Amino acid sequence: MNYCLRKLLYALLTIGLLISSLPINVLAEETEHTVKWPTPPEITSEGAVVIEASTGAILYDKNAYEAFHPASTTKLMTSLLAIEQSLLSEIVTCSHDAIYSIGWDSSRAGLVEGEQLSMEDALYAILLASANEVSYAVAEHVGGTLENFVSLMNQRARELGCTNTHFINPHGLDDPDHYSSPYDLALIAKQAIEYTTFRRISGSYYYQMPATNLNVARDLGNTHKIIRKRIAYEGVFA
């Protein structure tokens, strides 16, 4: 994935995963009916959108409806479906395909074939470590098959009003037919943050995944720069 798209996805995660009802100051000028909208920021991302969390009103956009490869922001939908269609106590088992169909150089949590973990631990692995093999395993658990889960992803996207989104997989690895727009991803994020579970897990700085049937305990650290306090942004819940 090229540098510009990485910048897009970082901006989108900042806006989509952590958006809160930030105050937008409008300055009255000549009359009470005349306002001056704040000067929009200059960003290097190819596309971005800022929405007001409670209403969905667009406050800023840059190519908001253009299709891009969403990469790991795909996991917003994967996590949303897992939260909506399963219990946190359910046990997810990693299949052969979950482990071996994912490139070894992609982001992983280090699971092995046959390893079992709770859905809650799986969500920590997905949202903190961006674990691709865990995303695959969760997809098989929730959907029965990967193909069924992808169908659920696209169906849920349509229900949320997404018009320029088409998912092929649950993790976001490159595929020419796998795409979404900043606005569509914001709609998905808006729904996801309605759930306390999503906010709690995605906003965690650190989590220790307990030992499983086949592995020792593992430390998971959130790589998001705002959550790790490397970037300050007033009003973001992190």
Side-chain angles (χ1 to χ4, degrees):
M1 180 168 52
N2 63 38
Y3 177 75
C4 289
L5 283 184
R6 284 199 299 270
K7 295 283 285 185
L8 159 69
L9 296 170
Y10 178 75
L12 198 48
L13 275 174
T14 300
I15 293 164
L17 279 175
L18 302 172
I19 190 169
S20 62
S21 299
L22 302 176
I24 299 297
N25 297 320
V26 291
L27 305 176
E29 291 185 325
E30 298 178 357
T31 72
E32 61 179 341
H33 302 295
T34 304
V35 295
K36 180 180 179 181
W37 193 251
T39 301
E42 293 184 7
I43 63 173
T44 57
S45 303
E46 293 183 13
V49 68
V50 177
I51 67 172
E52 199 283 318
S54 62
T55 64
I58 296 176
L59 305 177
Y60 168 82
D61 82 272
K62 177 182 178 181
N63 299 322
Y65 302 100
E66 186 173 337
F68 296 98
H69 176 65
S72 284
T73 54
T74 298
K75 297 180 175 80
L76 288 168
M77 178 60 82
T78 301
S79 301
L80 174 62
L81 285 175
I83 291 169
E84 291 182 334
Q85 301 201 20
S86 64
L87 300 175
L88 295 180
S89 59
E90 291 181 20
I91 299 301
V92 178
T93 302
C94 289
S95 69
H96 177 89
D97 287 345
I99 302 302
Y100 291 100
S101 68
I102 306 298
W104 292 103
D105 59 344
S106 71
S107 55
R108 289 172 172 263
L111 273 66
V112 298
E113 183 177 353
E115 188 166 357
Q116 296 180 322
L117 68 167
S118 70
M119 180 60 74
E120 183 172 15
D121 288 341
L123 285 167
Y124 273 106
I126 292 171
L127 291 171
L128 270 63
S130 193
N132 291 324
E133 85 278 31
V134 183
S135 298
Y136 196 114
V138 165
E140 289 185 317
H141 178 85
V142 174
T145 66
L146 183 72
E147 294 73 19
N148 285 345
F149 186 80
V150 169
S151 294
L152 291 174
M153 294 174 74
N154 288 311
Q155 176 184 329
R156 192 72 178 101
R158 290 190 295 271
E159 291 171 355
L160 293 173
C162 300
T163 59
N164 203 13
T165 292
H166 185 253
F167 295 118
I168 291 292
N169 60 61
H171 39 64
L173 293 178
D174 285 357
D175 188 293
D177 291 325
H178 188 91
Y179 56 84
S180 189
S181 69
Y183 180 69
D184 284 359
L185 287 170
L187 291 178
I188 297 168
K190 179 178 179 294
Q191 181 62 41
I193 64 173
E194 292 291 324
Y195 293 99
T196 302
T197 296
F198 182 89
R199 298 196 305 272
R200 170 174 58 84
I201 294 176
S202 66
S204 297
Y205 181 88
Y206 162 84
Y207 181 71
Q208 184 176 72
M209 183 188 297
T212 67
N213 59 321
L214 295 175
N215 238 319
V216 298
R218 278 155 290 190
D219 295 332
L220 303 175
N222 202 318
T223 59
H224 198 287
K225 291 183 179 180
I226 291 179
I227 293 175
R228 295 188 69 84
K229 310 302 182 185
R230 294 178 182 173
I231 296 176
Y233 199 92
E234 184 181 357
V236 173
F237 61 83

